[in-house]
Amino acid sequence: MAHPKRKISKTRRDKRRTHDNLATKALSVDATTGEIHVRHKAHVYEGNLYYKGQLVVEDYK
């Protein structure tokens, strides 16, 4: 099994890990219902399914 020739410093290790953080999800408010939801996703409000402010499916379960 291969072994590293030299120890990788903490600085180099941390530089590599700078992009491993999680980004917060973008939220928006629906204009018709006032519901807060994740952008570009359909959401349920009072049993109905909405997408982009329009009713898609009634009595969604």
Side-chain angles (χ1 to χ4, degrees):
M1 189 165 172
H3 294 290
K5 191 156 190 146
R6 289 185 183 84
K7 177 182 177 181
I8 296 175
S9 69
K10 294 172 191 160
T11 305
R12 259 189 108 131
R13 178 199 65 197
D14 293 344
K15 282 182 189 177
R16 185 179 67 246
R17 294 180 181 173
T18 57
H19 304 289
D20 291 346
N21 56 353
L22 295 174
T24 58
K25 294 188 177 186
L27 298 177
S28 62
V29 178
D30 193 350
T32 56
T33 62
E35 186 78 9
I36 297 174
H37 61 93
V38 180
R39 291 179 65 92
H40 307 290
K41 303 284 183 192
H43 64 280
V44 178
Y45 178 72
E46 294 182 354
N48 299 325
L49 187 68
Y50 287 89
Y51 183 68
K52 291 187 178 180
Q54 296 179 358
L55 179 64
V56 179
V57 178
E58 282 190 50
D59 298 327
Y60 179 78
K61 292 185 182 185

